[in-house]
Amino acid sequence: ALPPEQTKWRPFGGADLPPAHIGLALASPVLAMQEGTRQVKISLALSNLDGALHTATALTEAFEAYVTGPKGWLGPFDLGGSLNGSTLKLAFTLQVTDAAVVGYSAAVHGASFSTQAPLVQLLLKPDAGLRYADLENLGLGVAQIQVDVSGLLSVALENDNGSLNPKKAFQPFGAQPVAGSRFMIGSSEALSKHLLDLKVYLGWQGAPANLYSYYENYAHRSRLNNGVNARLVYQDRTGQLQSASQDLMARDANGVSTLSPNPPPPAPAAYASEANERRIFSLLLSGSGVGRWLGERFKMRRPIYLRTHIPAPSPRSGFITVSLEEDFLHADYRKESVQHAVNQDKIVLAEPWTPTVQSIQLSYSAISDAVDMSADDENAFASLDLQLFHIGCFGQRREHAFIRRRLDFVGDKQLRLLPHYPNQGELLIGLSGLKAGDGVSLLMQAAEGSADPELAAQKLEWAVLCDNHWRTLTPQELVLDTSNDLRTTGIVSVTLPHESDTDNTWLPAGRIWLRAAIAQDSGAACQLITVAVNAVEVAFVDQGNDPKHLATTLPAGSIAKLKTPQAEIKKLSQPYAGFGGAPTETAEHLTRRAAERLRHRNRCITPWDYERMLLEAFPSVHRVKCIPHASETSWLAPGHVMLIAIPDLRNQNAVDKLRPRVDLNTLTLMTEYARAHCGMQVKLKVRNPAYQRVRADFKVRFMAGKPFNFYRNELEQALIRALSPWAFDATREITFSGRLYRSVLLDFVEELPYVDFVSDFKLGIVDDADVLHDAADIAAATPDAILVSDTTHTINEIP
């Protein structure tokens, strides 16, 4: 809502508006991460890079990252990264204290992303070195996301006996583990993704420092010298079976075993291959000396061909299965203890150690599909493993090259890194209660004359939002535009195409959205007072009315109802005064117009013809000066005609009242009118005068008792009225090629009743660099120039 004192507004915005949140978002199930230290790596293949501008540091510092959390967006996170050729790699880290990354929910996170997967947003920083203009032309190709998670504690645990509690110490293989005992670790988060690496960390409780020493006097203690083998089996999202046999009891200094089935850990250097083991133990059987030496070297290694074959466990969806291939000699303990008791050899075996886990956690690396966003590939678009969204000023939309082809996209063919805003300004109009095929008429009530007349007239492009993309209206659909591209008040009538819909996310849903876009020089359009729907234009029909009726416009609110009511129309209003019309022509005016017509014969040939015909056709123009053989670059240009127009000085919407200018719409219409009545070889230009600012610079002493600040302002206003009297009195004429004398203005100042005396009086024209050039007398420099007062004068006090 506009403040009450602001009656008009710029339809295409301005630089003083706050910056919008612009960026991109990637949605992928791989981003679902419950806990731990989580690093997100994003790879983007870019095109149209400028090596000097788009450095790795500049690109990473231009963005900040946000991810979807359980109670809203998490972030911002600072990005690090690198630029390898044309591939930008970005990375950021969520710490253990950060909340989980969950799926997107419109109720929690706002916005309108058409996905339920977790999201990462990359938004432009308002204070970054690279601005939107530096990045808007970057193209996007292949995109991919990788996550590295460590410290995942939320797992579901089971063994052959039932469920286990990961928060307490537990026996993963039961109280009497045997070869083939299974321990299942469930993690839907990790195993629902395409894994690059997976690690299971097991912290043992009370594990012997050396199994071989612990099992002293056991007959088969040599089987434990190299630990206990277990097989890990799982399937990730790809469905590929991962299986590896590893030493379950290989621990670090903290007593933690790390099981990592992909890639399998390399065998220790001291281990022999299967073929070597067969050869070595064959030598042992032969009893040769070499065999005994080799046997001593490898006596702790159990021959493979003597091991019991344990089949690999079947994979279970969502679980990592750890199956023992060897046991911890529980059965041997029972059998050998009885044997030692029978033999009475006084050998007491240590009770076999039962594996007990005190802590368990997972770490993994996973990657999404690599999707080429710029490829017109329906299969790549259909994949939900990675989706690209553009984040615009007012909404979001999914992007892919296939979408643009499917929509028969006629605009920019390139898929860009950021949403593309090719226009300098856009006026967005949301309409409810309409559907495709309906017609609508909009009253564009403009602040007349508020367009910058120094700019060239601009053509507006009208479009309708269809499936989150703009579709330009055809000439048959843009039925009427009497606003002349918003250069004046008028009606815009549109027939909505059949592609129009209300289910958009690029702008708020539930409305039909129209867009009026201006490519450049948005100041060439008038400021708006209001936009109203269901507008019609009515004309006065004379039925013997008083001729004075047309001397004034019809006040707002004069028309309150229809003469013949219609059921379809519930309410009628006339919010603004009428326009156009003129009283009956007077005899004096008829005589002058007839005489002028007989002279110029409705043709522009001489300068007098141009001036009289334009003044007659455009009553709002106060004066026209024709300069023949003059162009924008030369005052001696045969074939060119320069027309200088001065507006009615009572224009209340003038941008600068001290330098009045004809509004852009009138200049455009004057140009079209003059071209229609002059020779086809004439090159015509209609424009406003060149105003030269005159400024006074002096010191003054006011009469005793006259406060300086107050009377300084009074004196400045008096100077402005003296130098530009026509700005305050419409009866005063504006003169071209005028002349001013310093002595005359000095005398004017000294004669003011509150001025005592003046010193150091200077008077001159101010150039574009705001430098005053003092002169005794001042004359206009060019035939199209008018001397006007500057908006301020330099007045200092004499102490």
Side-chain angles (χ1 to χ4, degrees):
L2 297 174
E5 66 276 6
Q6 185 176 344
T7 59
K8 54 189 177 183
W9 44 276
R10 298 187 301 272
F12 301 107
D16 57 335
L17 293 176
H21 291 292
I22 298 290
L24 68 153
L26 294 168
S28 175
V30 78
L31 290 169
M33 298 175 289
Q34 184 67 26
E35 58 190 351
T37 301
R38 295 146 287 173
Q39 187 178 41
V40 179
K41 301 175 182 178
I42 303 171
S43 176
L44 303 172
L46 305 179
S47 57
N48 301 330
L49 286 168
D50 183 340
L53 180 66
H54 301 126
T55 63
T57 301
L59 287 171
T60 54
E61 291 180 351
F63 295 92
E64 56 188 6
Y66 296 81
V67 291
T68 45
K71 296 183 179 180
W73 291 99
L74 304 179
F77 298 99
D78 291 330
L79 294 168
S82 61
L83 185 62
N84 300 326
S86 61
T87 301
L88 176 65
K89 296 185 177 181
L90 303 173
F92 64 94
T93 302
L94 285 84
Q95 303 298 332
V96 176
T97 55
D98 291 321
V101 181
V102 301
Y104 165 76
S105 169
V108 176
H109 305 104
S112 300
F113 293 99
S114 56
T115 183
Q116 295 180 346
L119 276 165
V120 54
Q121 287 190 108
L122 300 176
L123 299 182
L124 279 180
K125 294 180 180 178
D127 56 348
L130 292 180
R131 301 300 181 92
Y132 171 78
D134 302 320
L135 302 170
E136 64 173 331
N137 291 322
L138 292 182
L140 177 62
V142 177
Q144 194 170 33
I145 297 178
Q146 178 180 335
V147 295
D148 298 332
V149 179
S150 61
L152 179 60
L153 303 176
S154 299
V155 292
L157 303 179
E158 296 181 13
N159 62 13
D160 291 330
N161 300 322
S163 299
L164 303 172
N165 186 357
K167 297 182 179 179
K168 298 180 180 180
F170 59 89
Q171 295 174 338
F173 302 103
Q176 298 286 327
V178 297
S181 294
R182 295 178 305 166
F183 170 43
M184 282 77 74
I185 308 165
S187 176
S188 58
E189 173 185 319
L191 298 180
S192 63
K193 303 174 183 179
H194 180 187
L195 294 177
L196 300 177
D197 183 47
L198 177 67
K199 290 183 174 65
V200 180
Y201 297 93
L202 300 172
W204 300 107
Q205 184 183 63
N210 187 293
L211 285 180
Y212 182 79
S213 300
Y214 181 81
Y215 282 89
E216 186 178 3
N217 296 322
Y218 276 74
H220 299 101
R221 67 183 293 205
S222 61
R223 288 160 44 187
L224 302 176
N225 186 62
N226 294 304
V228 177
N229 274 9
R231 179 164 294 277
L232 276 74
V233 175
Y234 74 88
Q235 285 179 322
D236 62 5
R237 185 179 70 87
T238 63
Q240 183 178 358
L241 178 66
Q242 299 290 341
S243 177
S245 180
Q246 299 180 24
D247 180 7
L248 185 68
M249 300 308 298
R251 292 161 286 171
D252 59 17
N254 297 320
V256 176
S257 295
T258 302
L259 306 181
S260 179
N262 62 335
Y271 287 9
S273 68
E274 181 175 347
N276 286 336
E277 286 187 354
R278 290 181 181 273
R279 181 174 58 82
I280 290 167
F281 286 99
S282 295
L283 292 173
L284 280 173
L285 292 175
S286 68
S288 66
V290 175
R292 284 193 298 272
W293 178 80
L294 289 173
E296 290 296 325
R297 183 176 181 185
F298 291 99
K299 67 180 179 179
M300 305 306 177
R301 185 71 174 168
R302 184 163 168 251
I304 290 178
Y305 66 89
L306 295 180
R307 299 179 190 173
T308 302
H309 175 70
I310 303 296
S314 300
R316 179 180 172 188
S317 177
F319 281 82
I320 306 163
T321 302
V322 183
S323 176
L324 288 178
E325 294 183 326
E326 300 173 313
D327 61 18
F328 287 84
L329 304 183
H330 284 73
D332 291 34
Y333 170 74
R334 293 189 296 270
K335 181 173 64 175
E336 293 182 23
S337 293
V338 171
Q339 186 63 44
H340 286 303
V342 171
N343 295 339
Q344 297 183 355
D345 52 14
K346 298 182 180 181
I347 296 177
V348 179
L349 298 178
E351 185 177 349
W353 180 68
T354 301
T356 303
V357 174
Q358 195 168 27
S359 63
I360 182 172
Q361 58 178 284
L362 299 183
S363 294
Y364 69 88
S365 295
I367 197 168
S368 72
D369 293 341
V371 179
D372 188 354
M373 301 297 176
S374 63
D376 185 9
D377 184 353
E378 184 175 358
N379 294 326
F381 169 72
S383 172
L384 300 180
D385 196 55
L386 185 64
Q387 297 172 285
L388 169 68
F389 294 87
H390 275 165
I391 302 172
C393 301
F394 301 104
Q396 310 78 32
R397 68 184 177 198
R398 188 178 176 191
E399 278 288 5
H400 194 279
F402 176 74
I403 298 178
R404 295 171 173 247
R405 194 264 295 173
R406 179 169 57 88
L407 294 175
D408 192 20
F409 192 75
V410 296
D412 184 22
K413 299 292 185 181
Q414 179 186 11
L415 183 65
R416 299 172 184 261
L417 177 69
L418 297 176
H420 188 42
Y421 289 96
N423 304 302
Q424 188 185 88
E426 296 177 355
L427 170 63
L428 308 174
I429 304 171
L431 303 169
S432 59
L434 294 176
K435 60 182 182 298
D438 287 345
V440 62
S441 295
L442 303 173
L443 170 63
M444 315 298 290
Q445 186 69 29
E448 302 289 348
S450 57
D452 189 348
E454 297 299 306
L455 300 175
Q458 298 296 320
K459 182 71 176 175
L460 297 187
E461 180 188 80
W462 287 87
V464 63
L465 190 62
C466 305
D467 199 4
N468 283 327
H469 289 80
W470 293 106
R471 178 191 176 287
T472 303
L473 294 177
T474 65
Q476 292 75 25
E477 294 163 345
L478 183 59
V479 180
L480 179 68
D481 182 7
T482 62
S483 71
N484 293 339
D485 297 315
L486 292 188
R487 291 192 293 271
T488 186
T489 297
I491 294 178
V492 176
S493 294
V494 171
T495 299
L496 298 175
H498 69 275
E499 298 95 342
S500 306
D501 62 349
T502 59
D503 298 329
N504 294 290
T505 59
W506 194 236
L507 286 165
R511 298 176 184 268
I512 296 285
W513 285 96
L514 294 177
R515 182 190 74 177
I518 189 168
Q520 60 183 0
D521 294 338
S522 60
C526 283
Q527 298 186 46
L528 289 178
I529 297 174
T530 191
V531 177
V533 294
N534 300 327
V536 295
E537 183 177 298
V538 298
F540 170 73
V541 178
D542 191 357
Q543 297 179 350
N545 299 80
D546 185 353
K548 296 180 180 179
H549 174 76
L550 294 175
T552 58
T553 58
L554 191 67
S558 299
I559 302 175
K561 60 182 180 180
L562 295 175
K563 180 178 180 180
T564 304
Q566 296 185 27
E568 297 86 352
I569 300 177
K570 297 181 180 180
K571 185 180 179 181
L572 183 146
S573 63
Q574 180 202 349
Y576 301 100
F579 60 93
T584 303
E585 187 177 31
T586 64
E588 180 183 359
H589 185 271
L590 174 61
T591 301
R592 186 181 73 246
R593 182 171 62 86
E596 291 176 353
R597 175 61 182 261
L598 289 173
R599 178 171 175 177
H600 60 62
R601 299 178 184 272
N602 205 33
R603 296 174 298 178
C604 293
I605 298 177
T606 68
W608 187 92
D609 298 339
Y610 283 98
E611 295 172 354
R612 295 307 184 276
M613 289 184 64
L614 288 175
L615 286 174
E616 181 65 32
F618 297 92
S620 63
V621 176
H622 175 67
R623 184 175 177 182
V624 176
K625 179 179 181 179
C626 179
I627 308 175
H629 309 305
S631 68
E632 292 277 19
T633 58
S634 174
W635 297 110
L636 186 59
H640 290 261
V641 172
M642 178 77 70
L643 294 168
I644 310 301
I646 300 175
D648 186 342
L649 302 181
R650 292 169 292 184
N651 179 9
Q652 297 302 312
N653 291 316
V655 177
D656 186 350
K657 293 185 178 180
L658 292 179
R659 288 177 287 180
R661 294 181 173 91
V662 176
D663 66 271
L664 185 58
N665 183 61
T666 303
L667 289 178
T668 305
L669 296 177
M670 291 176 68
T671 302
E672 295 173 355
Y673 181 85
R675 284 176 178 167
H677 293 82
C678 69
M680 60 184 300
Q681 77 283 358
V682 175
K683 297 179 181 179
L684 191 70
K685 178 67 176 180
V686 182
R687 65 174 179 83
N688 285 291
Y691 291 101
Q692 293 183 285
R693 296 179 294 155
V694 177
R695 182 187 298 171
D697 183 347
F698 58 94
K699 297 178 180 179
V700 63
R701 167 75 65 83
F702 293 126
M703 294 293 185
K706 305 294 184 183
F708 177 78
N709 290 339
F710 176 80
Y711 282 97
R712 183 212 171 277
N713 292 335
E714 289 291 310
L715 177 55
E716 185 175 63
Q717 293 302 314
L719 283 171
I720 293 175
R721 286 192 295 270
L723 291 171
S724 301
W726 34 262
F728 305 92
D729 184 359
T731 62
R732 301 290 295 270
E733 290 288 336
I734 298 180
T735 58
F736 288 91
S737 304
R739 183 176 292 272
L740 293 172
Y741 296 93
R742 184 203 298 159
S743 57
V744 174
L745 197 63
L746 174 59
D747 179 68
F748 168 79
V749 173
E750 289 181 331
E751 291 299 322
L752 293 174
Y754 46 83
V755 173
D756 189 358
F757 61 91
V758 177
S759 69
D760 302 326
F761 193 89
K762 298 178 182 178
L763 183 70
I765 293 176
V766 181
D767 59 20
D768 293 337
D770 206 41
V771 177
L772 185 148
H773 299 275
D774 185 30
D777 63 283
I778 304 168
T782 57
D784 65 333
I786 298 175
L787 299 178
V788 297
S789 172
D790 198 2
T791 54
T792 60
H793 296 272
T794 305
I795 304 174
N796 296 311
E797 182 181 14
I798 298 176

